[in-house]
Amino acid sequence: MRVGILGSGLMGGKLGTIFARAGHEVVFTYARRREKLEQLARDAGGNARAGTPREAAQEADALLLAVHWSRMEDVLHQAGDLSGKVILSCSLPMNADDTGLVIAHTSSGAEELVQMIPRARIVSAFNTVPSEVLFGVYEARGKDSRPSLVYCGDDERGKAVAADLIRDVGFDPVDAGPLRIARYTEPFALLVAQLAYEGDGGPELAYRFERFEE
Ligand SMILES: NC(=O)c1ccc[n+]([C@@H]2O[C@H](COP(=O)([O-])OP(=O)(O)OC[C@H]3O[C@@H](n4cnc5c(N)ncnc54)[C@H](OP(=O)(O)O)[C@@H]3O)[C@@H](O)[C@H]2O)c1
């Protein structure tokens, strides 16, 4: 696939590198310095290059949206027409100092994106995982038991693309349902972050769901 990275920071830089190493054609875009994008493309080692959000948007089979919420309007403006595009968003609707969500409970950042780009195929994915674990998951991908990663969306084609990319990183993709479920996965991401940064003594999250029958 041709994958455009809109926001090449901790999440976009790492996921773009993994996608390139997994064999996808990657365009890194949207950092403050062009040299950073070029360096990322060189370090990715696969089929990767630096570009602009507009170039990435025009050519991509899938786009990863990985910017701070405060940069969303700007990056979407730079990307141009995104009609029909598959967009995986890991962006959380965080406030300026990253202490809380500015949209929650009755909506989500992912649902707000649908208002901003109504004709795009939006999937909420990769927002519940700290960037620090991504390379480790990719390196361990051959193992039998893979960590699960939930994603959600209303567009079936977008979700199929997202599941493939999630699998390529080394996760087992778990379809959590329609896009409105992002109302619950986005706050869950803050819980994960709270626990993940506690240090070595922090707990491992483990859970198991039973299906309930009437
Ligand atoms: N980090 C995590 O573990 C994590 C986990 C789950 C979800 N998320 C969410 O994922 C999204 C991205 O997070 P992140 O940690 O990857 O953020 P980040 O490291 O700050 O990356 C954001 C990217 O946007 C670029 N940028 C910022 N201001 C810009 C400007 N004025 N012009 C052009 N480019 C600009 C940054 O450029 P520079 O590279 O030049 O700084 C960087 O490449 C956020 O919504 C976050 O809430 C993050």
Side-chain angles (χ1 to χ4, degrees), residues 6-13 29-33 36-37 65-69 71-72 74 78 90-94 98 126-132 189 197:
L6 301 176
S8 298
L10 290 172
M11 291 299 281
T29 82
Y30 205 74
R32 276 166 279 220
R33 291 177 306 107
K36 177 184 172 177
L37 300 173
L65 198 42
V67 294
H68 191 273
W69 195 248
R71 307 305 312 167
M72 194 56 81
D74 185 52
Q78 289 196 34
C90 72
S91 296
L92 295 165
M94 302 296 291
D98 282 327
F126 293 115
N127 53 358
T128 54
V129 61
S131 68
E132 287 84 349
Y197 297 114

